[in-house]
Amino acid sequence: MVHINNRFLDLPGSYLFSEVARRVSHYVSQHEGERVIRLGIGDVTQPLTPAVIEALHKAVDEMGCADTFRGYGPEQGYEFLREAIVENDYRRRGIEIAPDEVFVSDGAKSDTGNIGDILGLDNRVAVTDPVYPVYVDSNVMAGRAGTYLGDGRWSNIIYLPCTAENDFVPALPAERPDVIYLCYPNNPTGTVLTREQLKMWVDYALCNDTLILFDSAYEAFIRQDDIPHSIYEIEGARQVAIEFRSFSKTAGFTGLRCGYTVVPHEVCARDEKGAKVPLGSLWNRRQCTKFNGAPYIVQRAAQAVFSEQGAKETRSLTDYYMRNAALIRTKLQTAGLQVYGGENAPYIWVKAPGEISSWCFFDRLLSECNIVGTPGSGFGAAGEGYLRLTAFGSYEDTLEAVERIENWKL
Amino acid sequence: MVHINNRFLDLPGSYLFSEVARRVSHYVSQHEGERVIRLGIGDVTQPLTPAVIEALHKAVDEMGCADTFRGYGPEQGYEFLREAIVENDYRRRGIEIAPDEVFVSDGAKSDTGNIGDILGLDNRVAVTDPVYPVYVDSNVMAGRAGTYLGDGRWSNIIYLPCTAENDFVPALPAERPDVIYLCYPNNPTGTVLTREQLKMWVDYALCNDTLILFDSAYEAFIRQDDIPHSIYEIEGARQVAIEFRSFSKTAGFTGLRCGYTVVPHEVCARDEKGAKVPLGSLWNRRQCTKFNGAPYIVQRAAQAVFSEQGAKETRSLTDYYMRNAALIRTKLQTAGLQVYGGENAPYIWVKAPGEISSWCFFDRLLSECNIVGTPGSGFGAAGEGYLRLTAFGSYEDTLEAVERIENWKL
């Protein structure tokens, strides 16, 4: 009798975004003619930039010609892209990363979801709360989460609440985790860690033999000089941290699919006998066995992001969204709402007024302003009472949305 | 103390293809000026066809314009591609598959590697021998393979030898497996199963509650009318089989990355209580959690493969490789070698002359003819004494290679 992986049945049935979609679709069907503005899902709206488009066309032509056609590429990514990443995302910030520590992929979701393949099932996992659901769900599937306690919590996961009360800075855990996921700039709260706050985590990991899985998919949105873009800006991080990056939000690649994972040579974990094993060799084996590399044309597009012209265009793109973020922040504050994030990240975390719940706030915003957000409680128990708005809409839509909120009788 | 997944250390260290690359590179460095022809790795050499290139350019332009830009697509693939697949790969052959049974991905390697995520670790797995290494290695990583016995074999895997003695038709297993991987047309042997032979497997699966993971990545190379292209041509297969397909070999997408997996609504496995659970819902959840869809531009390229012009071009492409296959078959037979496959598949499985080993044959072919093959023993114990040649080279290279073999003093 063939068996399923029973852990899948432990996952709660309704997804956050499908429930949001259901409520929006129901509302729209009942209110024809009303224009609903969607600031819920974190998907970009602006097109790929000219340098990226040009690189794609050129690479497509190469693929149509026998002399320049490329079949299977290296599973780890082409050297031209790994070197561009090392040079532009790291060396320019004074960080030394070797090209063979960079593993190019089809996106940070795949990598953060698949990284568990190389880790033992007995590892204890910690996450901040609220949190990007992939970290938790992929561990549920693998069997590391324990039993579901309701309220988005699992018996074997260590939760580190991030709320206005602790200024969204997670406290060090009382119980030692083997693995901790950190995402900064943070999805969903849009908050960041200072260098000192991040150093606290690296030091903790060094002292406690803990692996940090650091998701910096939103680093391109950092505007303050003293906020670290990479965990490797912190001394000692090469020994304890794997970093995940993405071109999705940086350069509008959500529909083009490219990201990468950095596994420094020093990052190790223990085998059954207690010996240290470099995680880079395991990740390499995992990728060679279950992945065949990102498309050549997409890797050329990613390379173009680092060209002089590409870098300028990409900066304009993130500036465009950060103008939206500033607009949302300011106008919502003027309207008397408490808002967080949005200064170094494309997300704004809004406190629901008058102690109402996330879903209640969501429903009121939808029905009274025709604006779609994402209920904070969907990201974890500590997200209850908050709502996430994204800066990824068009400027015009964002402007109209905040004007509606300004005129809203809260 | 953070732990690795210890199963990774069980995997033998040297990969087949890296050992091949090492020996070739060593040989080339010692013999400057000799032209080595590579018929080893199964990678295509001909460029993408004009219809595909045109679709790519068009889709790239859409991505550069705000009105037509696409961000995140459905994790399962766009409707336009799922419907084109259903219509062209199935309905035209009289098979009814619903679009929501099709899951578009970045390739069959990813899907055959990841499918284990949804299956329990207690399932007993069977593979044909020789076999595509991903099936075995991904099960080793998950912990289903048991201990390594040497010689490419694992204690908990059921092997079904395919050799000249049984005409490369695997016998039904003496011990019942929960899951069996079948790949037809076969990689590496290039052999096929007739409708009756495949029916035997479907009937077995129906009687024994066994799940068939059917890899038909090479179906486009079938030239005989009576050979099934899809397992769903066999009655009852919808209840017991998941099918994997790829555009890699069909349309030269090895560097572009697109494939798909079909999970019929009826295919189920049991949960811990013995209740039947549809595997499609689990695969959907897996893909939504750990994958973000194939690139939009790549899906448009895949759709173009099914256009009238695209279908013609694709047929020419596979015809080109099948001409090579016929050439290799005929000329090697003339040279007195025993060859198999190559009539409905782009692989030719060559018996090493005079009872020499696969690696010995490989070394002689390299040093005496300057031709690179792949040692059959690298695909499993039953591959010992064979060597795989691929038809994916250029016609000119293939012609020169077979002429060298014709003139070879065996």
Side-chain angles (χ1 to χ4, degrees):
Chain A
M1 189 183 297
V2 54
H3 285 128
I4 62 160
N5 172 355
N6 237 74
R7 304 288 79 75
F8 273 69
L9 300 188
D10 299 341
L11 286 163
S14 108
Y15 309 146
L16 172 61
F17 291 109
S18 63
E19 177 60 17
V20 167
R22 196 191 63 76
R23 292 198 190 197
V24 173
S25 146
H26 178 76
Y27 181 83
V28 169
S29 73
Q30 305 282 307
H31 300 83
E32 261 184 62
E34 291 185 15
R35 201 172 85 84
V36 169
I37 298 178
R38 290 156 207 262
L39 302 180
I41 294 177
D43 193 7
V44 299
T45 52
Q46 298 306 298
L48 294 175
T49 70
V52 169
I53 293 293
E54 191 188 328
L56 279 170
H57 279 306
K58 185 158 170 277
V60 167
D61 283 334
E62 287 180 60
M63 294 293 278
C65 174
D67 292 344
T68 49
F69 172 78
R70 309 257 191 152
Y72 289 125
E75 286 92 345
Q76 306 84 355
Y78 280 99
E79 277 305 302
F80 65 75
L81 180 55
R82 297 171 100 188
E83 277 166 12
I85 287 166
V86 160
E87 180 59 37
N88 294 280
D89 278 350
Y90 292 102
R91 194 164 298 141
R92 277 174 194 235
R93 295 192 181 279
I95 304 164
E96 277 306 317
I97 296 290
D100 70 350
E101 295 173 324
V102 176
F103 296 85
V104 176
S105 75
D106 66 327
K109 185 184 182 186
S110 302
D111 288 355
T112 54
N114 291 328
I115 194 76
D117 280 11
I118 66 169
L119 299 172
L121 298 182
D122 55 345
N123 288 304
R124 198 68 200 284
V125 170
V127 295
T128 57
D129 177 11
V131 71
Y132 178 49
V134 169
Y135 310 154
V136 174
D137 289 359
S138 59
N139 277 293
V140 172
M141 290 173 177
R144 289 189 200 90
T147 53
Y148 188 58
L149 306 173
D151 208 20
R153 298 216 165 188
W154 297 83
S155 64
N156 208 33
I157 301 253
I158 299 167
Y159 293 92
L160 308 171
C162 297
T163 60
E165 285 66 42
N166 61 10
D167 208 15
F168 300 94
V169 178
L172 292 174
E175 200 179 351
R176 185 199 147 270
D178 298 298
V179 179
I180 177 154
Y181 291 83
L182 293 175
C183 172
Y184 288 97
N186 189 254
N187 175 16
T189 66
T191 59
V192 290
L193 291 187
T194 63
R195 201 170 303 272
E196 293 63 37
Q197 287 161 345
L198 188 54
K199 183 177 184 309
M200 189 184 72
W201 279 102
V202 171
D203 290 345
Y204 177 86
L206 284 164
C207 285
N208 289 276
D209 201 3
T210 292
L211 175 68
I212 299 176
L213 299 176
F214 192 76
D215 185 345
S216 58
Y218 297 93
E219 63 81 27
F221 296 88
I222 293 172
R223 291 296 176 266
Q224 281 170 256
D225 283 342
D226 54 339
I227 303 298
H229 287 246
S230 163
I231 195 165
Y232 304 121
E233 294 181 41
I234 311 297
E235 204 184 325
R238 283 184 57 90
Q239 284 154 263
V240 292
I242 290 175
E243 182 161 284
F244 303 93
R245 288 273 181 102
S246 172
F247 293 90
S248 284
K249 308 302 162 67
T250 307
F253 275 40
T254 54
L256 200 57
R257 313 303 318 138
C258 198
Y260 65 87
T261 291
V262 177
V263 191
H265 299 142
E266 295 92 318
V267 182
C268 289
R270 313 264 177 180
D271 69 12
E272 285 169 349
K273 294 172 190 145
K276 284 187 167 189
V277 179
L279 289 177
S281 65
L282 301 194
W283 184 243
N284 185 55
R285 186 75 196 239
R286 191 271 167 209
Q287 293 296 81
C288 288
T289 302
K290 299 195 193 181
F291 181 61
N292 241 328
Y296 170 70
I297 57 176
V298 171
Q299 293 191 57
R300 283 293 184 198
Q303 181 190 27
V305 169
F306 297 116
S307 68
E308 201 185 323
Q309 186 58 29
K312 268 187 214 161
E313 292 169 0
T314 302
R315 174 70 192 208
S316 301
L317 199 60
T318 56
D319 281 346
Y320 177 94
Y321 294 128
M322 289 311 287
R323 181 169 67 146
N324 291 347
L327 191 66
I328 298 172
R329 256 188 83 83
T330 320
K331 295 288 185 178
L332 265 62
Q333 279 173 333
T334 311
L337 287 160
Q338 271 184 288
V339 298
Y340 306 93
E343 289 174 308
N344 296 289
Y347 295 119
I348 293 93
W349 194 239
V350 190
K351 183 84 184 74
E355 304 298 314
I356 63 171
S357 74
S358 291
W359 276 111
C360 180
F361 190 30
F362 169 90
D363 286 334
R364 282 195 59 192
L365 201 62
L366 177 59
S367 61
E368 296 170 28
C369 299
N370 290 351
I371 294 170
V372 182
T374 306
S377 56
F379 297 101
E384 179 56 273
Y386 294 89
L387 182 125
R388 189 188 76 173
L389 292 179
T390 95
F392 287 126
S394 69
Y395 178 72
E396 295 71 23
D397 276 359
T398 306
L399 192 61
E400 185 175 334
V402 295
E403 280 169 358
R404 290 183 193 171
I405 293 175
E406 268 192 306
N407 300 321
W408 188 23
K409 302 276 171 278
L410 275 168
Chain B
M1 189 183 298
V2 56
H3 285 128
I4 62 161
N5 172 355
N6 236 73
R7 305 288 78 75
F8 272 70
L9 300 188
D10 299 341
L11 286 163
S14 108
Y15 310 145
L16 172 61
F17 291 109
S18 63
E19 177 60 16
V20 167
R22 195 191 63 76
R23 293 198 190 197
V24 173
S25 146
H26 178 76
Y27 180 83
V28 169
S29 72
Q30 305 282 307
H31 300 82
E32 261 184 61
E34 291 184 15
R35 202 171 84 84
V36 169
I37 298 178
R38 290 155 207 264
L39 302 180
I41 295 176
D43 193 7
V44 299
T45 52
Q46 297 307 298
L48 294 175
T49 70
V52 169
I53 293 293
E54 190 189 327
L56 279 169
H57 279 306
K58 185 159 171 274
V60 167
D61 283 334
E62 286 180 59
M63 293 293 278
C65 175
D67 292 343
T68 49
F69 172 78
R70 309 257 190 151
Y72 289 126
E75 285 93 345
Q76 305 84 356
Y78 280 99
E79 277 305 302
F80 64 76
L81 180 54
R82 299 171 99 187
E83 276 165 11
I85 288 166
V86 159
E87 180 60 35
N88 294 280
D89 278 351
Y90 292 103
R91 194 165 298 140
R92 278 175 193 233
R93 295 192 181 280
I95 304 164
E96 277 306 316
I97 295 291
D100 71 351
E101 295 173 324
V102 176
F103 296 84
V104 176
S105 75
D106 66 328
K109 185 183 180 186
S110 302
D111 288 355
T112 54
N114 291 327
I115 193 76
D117 280 11
I118 67 170
L119 299 173
L121 297 182
D122 56 344
N123 289 304
R124 199 67 200 284
V125 170
V127 295
T128 57
D129 176 12
V131 71
Y132 178 49
V134 169
Y135 310 154
V136 174
D137 289 0
S138 59
N139 277 293
V140 173
M141 291 173 177
R144 288 190 200 89
T147 53
Y148 188 58
L149 306 173
D151 208 21
R153 300 216 164 189
W154 298 83
S155 64
N156 208 33
I157 301 254
I158 299 167
Y159 294 92
L160 308 171
C162 297
T163 60
E165 286 67 41
N166 61 10
D167 208 16
F168 300 94
V169 178
L172 292 174
E175 201 179 352
R176 185 199 146 271
D178 298 298
V179 179
I180 176 153
Y181 290 82
L182 293 176
C183 172
Y184 288 97
N186 189 253
N187 175 17
T189 66
T191 59
V192 291
L193 292 187
T194 63
R195 201 170 304 273
E196 292 64 38
Q197 286 161 345
L198 189 53
K199 182 176 184 310
M200 189 185 72
W201 279 102
V202 171
D203 291 344
Y204 177 87
L206 285 164
C207 285
N208 289 275
D209 201 3
T210 292
L211 175 68
I212 299 176
L213 299 176
F214 192 77
D215 185 344
S216 58
Y218 296 93
E219 62 81 27
F221 296 87
I222 293 172
R223 291 295 176 269
Q224 282 171 255
D225 284 342
D226 54 339
I227 303 298
H229 287 246
S230 163
I231 195 165
Y232 304 120
E233 294 180 41
I234 311 297
E235 205 184 326
R238 282 184 58 91
Q239 283 153 265
V240 291
I242 290 175
E243 182 161 283
F244 303 93
R245 288 274 181 102
S246 172
F247 293 90
S248 285
K249 308 304 162 67
T250 307
F253 274 40
T254 54
L256 201 57
R257 313 303 318 137
C258 197
Y260 66 86
T261 291
V262 176
V263 191
H265 299 141
E266 295 91 319
V267 183
C268 289
R270 313 264 178 180
D271 68 12
E272 285 169 349
K273 294 174 191 145
K276 283 187 167 189
V277 180
L279 289 177
S281 65
L282 301 194
W283 184 243
N284 185 55
R285 186 74 195 239
R286 191 271 167 210
Q287 292 297 80
C288 289
T289 301
K290 299 194 192 183
F291 181 62
N292 240 328
Y296 170 71
I297 58 177
V298 171
Q299 292 190 58
R300 283 293 184 198
Q303 180 190 27
V305 169
F306 297 117
S307 68
E308 199 184 325
Q309 185 58 28
K312 268 187 215 162
E313 292 169 359
T314 302
R315 175 70 191 206
S316 300
L317 199 60
T318 56
D319 281 346
Y320 178 92
Y321 294 128
M322 289 310 287
R323 181 169 67 146
N324 291 347
L327 191 65
I328 298 172
R329 258 187 81 83
T330 319
K331 295 288 186 178
L332 266 62
Q333 279 174 333
T334 311
L337 287 159
Q338 273 184 285
V339 299
Y340 307 93
E343 289 174 307
N344 297 289
Y347 294 118
I348 293 94
W349 194 239
V350 189
K351 182 83 184 75
E355 304 298 315
I356 63 173
S357 74
S358 291
W359 277 110
C360 181
F361 189 30
F362 169 89
D363 286 333
R364 283 194 59 193
L365 200 63
L366 177 59
S367 60
E368 296 170 26
C369 298
N370 291 350
I371 294 170
V372 182
T374 307
S377 56
F379 297 101
E384 180 56 272
Y386 294 90
L387 182 125
R388 189 188 76 174
L389 292 179
T390 95
F392 288 126
S394 69
Y395 178 72
E396 295 71 23
D397 276 0
T398 307
L399 192 62
E400 185 175 334
V402 295
E403 280 169 358
R404 290 183 193 172
I405 294 175
E406 268 192 307
N407 299 322
W408 189 23
K409 303 277 171 277
L410 275 168

